[in-house]
Amino acid sequence: MRKIERFQNELKKKRIDAALLMNTAIKDPNMLYFTAMELEYCFLMIPKEGEAIFLVSALEYEKAKKNALIKSVQQYKNLWKEIGILLKNKKKIGVNENYVTIATEKSIKKQIKNKKFIAVQELCKKVRVIKEEEEIECLKRATAIGDRIFSELVKDLKTSRNAFQTEKDIAEYIDKKAK
């Protein structure tokens, strides 16, 4: 998967052993980007070399196994112990500080000792700005759909002006057409 490989290259350049991305109380959009899933309380460990590991709860395991872009999906039981084992031989750990609460940061540092935590939000951003062919095609399709909806709206505004009394009416029209 090119996204993960590009991110791993960035980790290597910065001499970061692994990144730990997480969805806890706050959802990190990079989780959706790398896994194609938006789950609660899930964790993604991306080493600078080798296979990324997607840790999910028992409730989400089957869904993640079936739908995630990450091949290695594991169900966690004792989360911090398992993350500690995954990061055992890693000294520098990248974390997206923009999406980690103070409480989660304290838990990480309490449970996973003797590690240097490094902010990787800029590395994530750097990887995400470069679009892959599939992403470009999706953006083109989305733009075409948006153009078509807007054209239909302009036409309907001319012919059915009374149907639109407020901005909310227009927003509902757009939302209905998009769905």
Side-chain angles (χ1 to χ4, degrees):
M1 174 213 242
R2 295 267 315 131
K3 295 174 185 181
I4 294 287
E5 291 168 8
R6 288 195 334 260
F7 188 68
Q8 287 175 317
N9 286 335
E10 295 301 321
L11 291 175
K12 287 175 196 170
K13 287 178 193 174
K14 297 291 183 181
R15 294 191 170 125
I16 299 171
D17 298 314
L20 180 64
L21 302 179
M22 56 194 90
N23 276 356
T24 55
I26 305 170
K27 289 188 177 179
D28 181 345
N30 295 296
M31 290 291 284
L32 176 62
Y33 178 75
F34 287 121
T35 68
M37 300 198 74
E38 192 170 59
L39 305 175
E40 291 188 5
Y41 293 95
C42 61
F43 301 79
L44 178 61
M45 193 281 293
I46 304 173
K48 68 180 177 186
E49 292 178 346
E51 192 171 36
I53 299 170
F54 191 30
L55 294 156
V56 299
S57 70
L59 295 172
E60 303 285 14
Y61 179 73
E62 290 302 323
K63 186 164 113 178
K65 194 80 173 148
K66 182 179 177 185
N67 299 311
L69 293 177
I70 305 300
K71 290 178 184 143
S72 182
V73 177
Q74 295 180 12
Q75 176 182 322
Y76 62 79
K77 291 181 178 88
N78 186 337
L79 177 66
W80 296 115
K81 181 180 178 185
E82 292 170 44
I83 288 175
I85 291 167
L86 289 174
L87 299 175
K88 184 179 178 185
N89 298 322
K90 317 274 190 255
K91 293 184 187 335
K92 292 182 182 178
I93 312 300
V95 177
N96 187 349
E97 293 178 338
N98 290 347
Y99 297 97
V100 177
T101 64
I102 293 169
T104 302
E105 183 179 350
K106 284 181 181 178
S107 288
I108 292 169
K109 289 180 178 177
K110 182 180 175 185
Q111 301 293 329
I112 305 169
K113 295 176 175 31
N114 303 320
K115 307 290 181 194
K116 182 174 182 180
F117 293 94
I118 299 163
V120 293
Q121 50 270 23
E122 292 304 315
L123 297 183
C124 292
K125 197 182 299 183
K126 186 175 180 180
V127 170
R128 288 181 62 185
V129 297
I130 299 169
K131 301 300 178 206
E132 294 181 354
E133 198 58 44
E134 182 180 325
E135 292 171 299
I136 293 168
E137 289 305 313
C138 285
L139 290 168
K140 286 179 182 178
R141 283 195 311 269
T143 302
I145 291 168
D147 286 348
R148 190 175 70 238
I149 291 170
F150 186 75
S151 295
E152 290 174 16
L153 172 63
V154 169
K155 180 180 153 195
D156 287 349
L157 279 170
K158 289 178 184 175
T159 60
S160 309
R161 191 161 194 95
N162 292 338
F164 303 100
Q165 299 297 312
T166 66
E167 292 89 351
K168 186 177 177 190
D169 295 333
I170 293 173
E172 288 172 354
Y173 173 93
I174 293 169
D175 190 50
K176 182 180 174 185
K177 289 284 186 176
K179 287 179 182 171

